[in-house]
Amino acid sequence: MIQNNEFTQFTESNTETIQPPPYQEMTPEISRRLKDPFDNPTEYHEYREDYSKIVPWLRLPEFKLSFEPARTERKLIKRTYSIGSLCVLLNYLGAQIAALLLIEIIKIIIGAVNPSANSDAISDYMSQTSIMYAINMLVFLLANVGFALLGFKWAKIKPKTMLKPKNFNALYAFQYCIIGLMIWFIAAMISAGVEEIFSKFGHSTIVDMLDDDITTPLGMAVMVLYSCIIAPITEEIFYRGMVLKVFSQANQRFAIIISAVFFGLAHGNLPQFALAFLLGIFLAHITMKHDSIIPSIIVHMCINTTVTLGSEVSEIILISAALISFIAGLVLLPKFRKTDKLPATTPAQTRRGISVALTTVGFDITVVFMVFGMLLILMTN
């Protein structure tokens, strides 16, 4: 039987392009192995990419993966993790830099049209109208979609496979939305507790939101369009589409957790990190279950719409709706977890998850940079 160290020797002379070795036929056993290379019955095999992209010799009947990844396999896994991480970092930095540049350009244009207006007046005008949200909507739409497509192409994954949900219907959508609202309620309670702790040390986790200053109808319309439609769709394309898919090559459980971590860190503050991380795990889980980002988009839109429109109704109505969703979610989530548990990790997969990611430079830089950014905002708030 061919072991993984022989695969390493085979690929030493194929450093640029590793082609699958020749084989006589695609047997049912080989087809199964490509989707379940680690013999893990708890994973979502339909969601998994063909692992022979990482280990071409997996297509040979006599080949068997070793417990520890061989040097070449480890190198290719690290390359995959680098792709996902660097796209996250480029998205994070690119969106912020582009937004700052657009803001300054528009300030210059408004100042040229209104020479008597000072800098503070221009800033107030931009925050009270649709301008700031329009900038955010444009920048994050282009960044999320653009870097998602870049990651898909870089990792050689077809994004169209994420748009056709399997075994999904309106009942699933309703249940998932209720569970999502329950997670939002729990995250809100956690955030309130964290804020209470930090306030005792003279710091605050609460950040100013753009919609706090909007006074015009057009500004409100753009805010609703961005918060309830554009942001949920584009964020799901990026985080549950590209990031989750790229990181799930060797270890689906690790992919679920790390995609949720990146999703939380991208929000830049503790209250939204708590929500984004907890929600991110659930959204990634249902994405894998249905092999599509459509369920996660629906849940994301439901939560953002509830929170956005909830601020326009009375506090009693909002709290009542939150409590009802919380109670219903407490019933539905255990039911969901009973039939659909998070994928487990085999011993061989533990050697290909976080342990490999931590030795990947692009991954380490991305995590450190985003954590530092969130801590900086926290300490200066």
Side-chain angles (χ1 to χ4, degrees), residues 82-92 147 150-151 154 238 242:
S82 290
I83 290 172
S85 301
L86 292 176
C87 284
V88 170
L89 183 60
L90 289 171
N91 185 13
Y92 179 76
F147 287 113
L150 173 64
W154 200 357
F238 185 77
M242 187 278 294

Side-chain angles (χ1 to χ4, degrees), residues 81-154:
Y81 290 166
S82 290
I83 290 172
S85 301
L86 292 176
C87 284
V88 170
L89 183 60
L90 289 171
N91 185 13
Y92 179 76
L93 291 177
Q96 295 191 47
I97 293 172
L100 290 174
L101 288 175
L102 277 176
I103 289 171
E104 292 305 315
I105 291 172
I106 293 175
K107 281 184 176 180
I108 292 173
I109 294 174
I110 294 176
V113 175
N114 300 276
S116 60
N118 57 39
S119 179
D120 290 339
I122 293 174
S123 296
D124 290 341
Y125 172 76
M126 291 176 64
S127 63
Q128 292 171 8
T129 60
S130 62
I131 295 177
M132 292 301 292
Y133 255 107
I135 291 174
N136 264 17
M137 182 167 64
L138 175 63
V139 166
F140 283 102
L141 188 155
L142 294 176
N144 285 331
V145 176
F147 287 113
L149 293 176
L150 173 64
F152 277 126
K153 184 175 181 179
W154 200 357

Side-chain angles (χ1 to χ4, degrees), residues 61 80 89 95 101 114 159 163 174 195 275 307 319 334 349 351:
T80 301
L89 183 60
L101 288 175
N114 300 276
L163 301 178
F174 175 76
E195 170 61 20
L275 171 61
V307 175
I319 293 176
Q349 285 178 296
R351 301 300 193 274

Side-chain angles (χ1 to χ4, degrees), residues 79-368:
R79 177 183 180 274
T80 301
Y81 290 166
S82 290
I83 290 172
S85 301
L86 292 176
C87 284
V88 170
L89 183 60
L90 289 171
N91 185 13
Y92 179 76
L93 291 177
Q96 295 191 47
I97 293 172
L100 290 174
L101 288 175
L102 277 176
I103 289 171
E104 292 305 315
I105 291 172
I106 293 175
K107 281 184 176 180
I108 292 173
I109 294 174
I110 294 176
V113 175
N114 300 276
S116 60
N118 57 39
S119 179
D120 290 339
I122 293 174
S123 296
D124 290 341
Y125 172 76
M126 291 176 64
S127 63
Q128 292 171 8
T129 60
S130 62
I131 295 177
M132 292 301 292
Y133 255 107
I135 291 174
N136 264 17
M137 182 167 64
L138 175 63
V139 166
F140 283 102
L141 188 155
L142 294 176
N144 285 331
V145 176
F147 287 113
L149 293 176
L150 173 64
F152 277 126
K153 184 175 181 179
W154 200 357
K156 298 180 181 179
I157 297 173
K158 297 179 180 179
K160 65 180 181 180
T161 60
M162 303 296 293
L163 301 178
K164 298 178 180 179
K166 297 179 176 64
N167 189 30
F168 181 68
N169 53 41
L171 180 58
Y172 274 124
F174 175 76
Q175 293 176 340
Y176 293 161
C177 286
I178 295 298
I179 293 173
L181 289 171
M182 183 204 69
I183 293 173
W184 167 77
F185 186 87
I186 292 175
M189 296 299 100
I190 293 174
S191 298
V194 172
E195 170 61 20
E196 181 68 21
I197 294 172
F198 273 85
S199 64
K200 294 180 179 179
F201 296 93
H203 293 284
S204 175
T205 62
I206 300 174
V207 296
D208 294 330
M209 303 299 290
L210 289 177
D211 52 341
D212 293 339
D213 300 323
I214 294 177
T215 58
T216 66
L218 180 58
M220 290 296 296
V222 174
M223 181 269 290
V224 170
L225 175 63
Y226 171 69
S227 300
C228 302
I229 300 177
I230 302 299
I233 292 176
T234 60
E235 286 178 357
E236 292 310 307
I237 289 173
F238 185 77
Y239 290 100
R240 256 65 60 182
M242 187 278 294
V243 175
L244 181 66
K245 194 75 169 179
V246 167
F247 275 96
S248 67
Q249 299 299 293
N251 189 328
Q252 290 185 355
R253 190 183 186 93
F254 168 65
I256 288 174
I257 295 173
I258 198 60
S259 64
V261 170
F262 281 139
F263 184 48
L265 290 175
H267 285 74
N269 61 82
L270 280 178
Q272 287 185 300
F273 175 86
L275 171 61
F277 174 71
L278 293 175
L279 184 63
I281 291 177
F282 178 65
L283 295 179
H285 191 178
I286 62 176
T287 296
M288 284 190 177
K289 172 181 169 62
H290 298 286
D291 193 19
S292 172
I293 60 174
I294 299 300
S296 64
I297 288 176
I298 292 172
V299 175
H300 200 155
M301 291 177 67
C302 173
I303 294 172
N304 281 23
T305 301
T306 300
V307 175
T308 300
L309 299 183
S311 61
E312 303 301 317
V313 302
S314 68
E315 187 174 342
I316 295 178
I317 295 176
L318 180 60
I319 293 176
S320 298
L323 287 174
I324 292 172
S325 298
F326 177 73
I327 295 171
L330 287 178
V331 175
L332 293 174
L333 182 58
K335 180 181 177 182
F336 172 76
R337 290 298 306 277
K338 184 177 180 180
T339 57
D340 295 277
K341 299 182 183 300
L342 286 175
T345 303
T346 66
Q349 285 178 296
T350 62
R351 301 300 193 274
R352 294 162 169 83
I354 187 64
S355 59
V356 174
L358 289 176
T359 62
T360 303
V361 176
F363 177 86
D364 294 335
I365 292 174
T366 301
V367 172
V368 170

Side-chain angles (χ1 to χ4, degrees), residues 23-37 39 45-46 58-61:
Y23 57 91
Q24 294 182 346
E25 61 178 337
M26 179 64 70
T27 66
E29 172 58 25
I30 293 177
S31 297
R32 182 203 63 80
R33 188 194 302 169
L34 298 182
K35 288 291 188 177
D36 186 19
D39 294 320
H45 300 144
E46 289 301 315
L58 198 64
R59 290 176 174 268
L60 291 178

